[in-house]
Amino acid sequence: MRGFFVAGTDTGVGKTAITAALARVLSAQGFSVGVVKPVQSGNRAADPDGDAMLLRRLAGVEDAPEEICPYAFAAPLAPLVAARLEAREVDMGRVLTAVDLIAARHDVVLVEGAGGLLVPVGLSWTIADLALKLSLPLVIVARAGLGTVNHTLLTLEAARSRGLDVAAVVLNGQRADADESSVTNPDLIASFGDVAVVGPLPWLDGRIDEIVERLAEQLGVDPLLARLEREEAPSA
Ligand SMILES: Nc1ncnc2c1ncn2[C@@H]1O[C@H](COP(=O)(O)OP(=O)(O)O)[C@@H](O)[C@H]1O
Ligand SMILES: [Mg+2]
């Protein structure tokens, strides 16, 4: 399976926006791009306001909502807790099968996590465990402003200590009146985290479709394209 697992340093950092923008860039490069939001809380799978339907629309795919999002829960809580409120449980095997199905239909699959990397999904497993089982390299979306160096380095350390491979960090949502840290954040993360840093991408006004379109124009995908090519090359 070729693609990326889009994780975040937190909820609300722009995972969905960046996943959609990345889908558009890779589609424009000629890849057939599938999207998966394996576990969603706060919206049902077919809810137009939920991540799954947003990704489906913005990526321009026709996979069914229930295929893109095999598990959706009403409560806007960590998946484990939201599932428990409905007396349900997320089965890792079913999630892996769902991702396999979408991946088989497309050249590249983009899987959006839920919340941050260590958010509980199953009784004894987190988003990080899911990313590991999928063997997809991570794209870590992080905020652009003050505080992001610590959150991003913590996420990188947690990812690598579990054996996850990080393709890039994307800094998202830099305000026009950004604090002083925004000048030094990208280099600090790149050097202390030993990782490719994309962005910072600006905070934009407008409808989500327009925002994603403009993020796609500004998203520097070279480190990600290099990674995809590497995975395509036959191993020696
Ligand atoms: N660069 C940006 N400019 C403007 N709005 C953004 C940007 N990135 C994300 N948003 C908005 O911020 C909110 C959170 O982003 P989202 O992608 O849903 O985060 P996550 O998927 O990590 O929870 C959404 O309303 C989204 O449209
Ligand atoms: Mg999201």
Side-chain angles (χ1 to χ4, degrees), residues 50-223:
D51 287 2
M53 288 303 275
L54 206 80
L55 288 174
R56 182 178 188 270
R57 179 164 56 82
L58 293 169
V61 291
E62 290 181 351
D63 303 302
E66 295 72 22
E67 292 177 321
I68 291 173
C69 181
Y71 283 102
F73 305 107
L77 297 168
L80 174 65
V81 184
R84 202 178 270 157
L85 289 176
E86 298 179 20
R88 294 169 65 200
E89 200 179 305
V90 180
D91 177 54
M92 169 84 86
R94 208 183 130 198
V95 170
L96 299 178
T97 304
V99 180
D100 277 343
L101 186 73
I102 300 278
R105 287 190 199 139
H106 300 273
D107 302 327
V108 169
V109 65
L110 302 179
V111 181
E112 184 191 340
L117 197 60
L118 298 191
V119 163
V121 185
L123 276 183
S124 58
W125 57 277
T126 67
I127 287 289
D129 296 310
L130 173 59
L132 199 58
K133 277 271 191 321
L134 288 168
S135 297
L136 288 171
L138 291 191
V139 170
I140 296 173
V141 181
R143 290 196 179 81
L146 191 64
T148 202
V149 172
N150 177 56
H151 292 155
T152 305
L153 295 180
L154 284 171
T155 301
L156 282 166
E157 189 170 309
R160 289 173 177 153
S161 76
R162 286 165 175 76
L164 286 162
D165 185 18
V166 181
V169 167
V170 178
L171 293 176
N172 179 48
Q174 178 150 304
R175 309 268 177 174
D177 60 349
D179 67 81
E180 277 175 54
S181 79
S182 63
V183 181
T184 47
N185 284 340
D187 282 351
L188 282 178
I189 291 170
S191 61
F192 279 75
D194 189 21
V195 69
V197 176
V198 174
L201 294 155
W203 185 262
L204 299 164
D205 291 323
R207 290 175 45 245
I208 184 65
D209 298 51
E210 293 158 6
I211 290 171
V212 165
E213 211 48 57
R214 285 166 61 203
L215 289 177
E217 286 164 13
Q218 298 185 45
L219 193 64
V221 294
D222 287 354

Side-chain angles (χ1 to χ4, degrees), residues 15-16 37 51 112-113:
K15 293 184 303 295
T16 306
K37 173 80 186 186
D51 287 2
E112 184 191 340

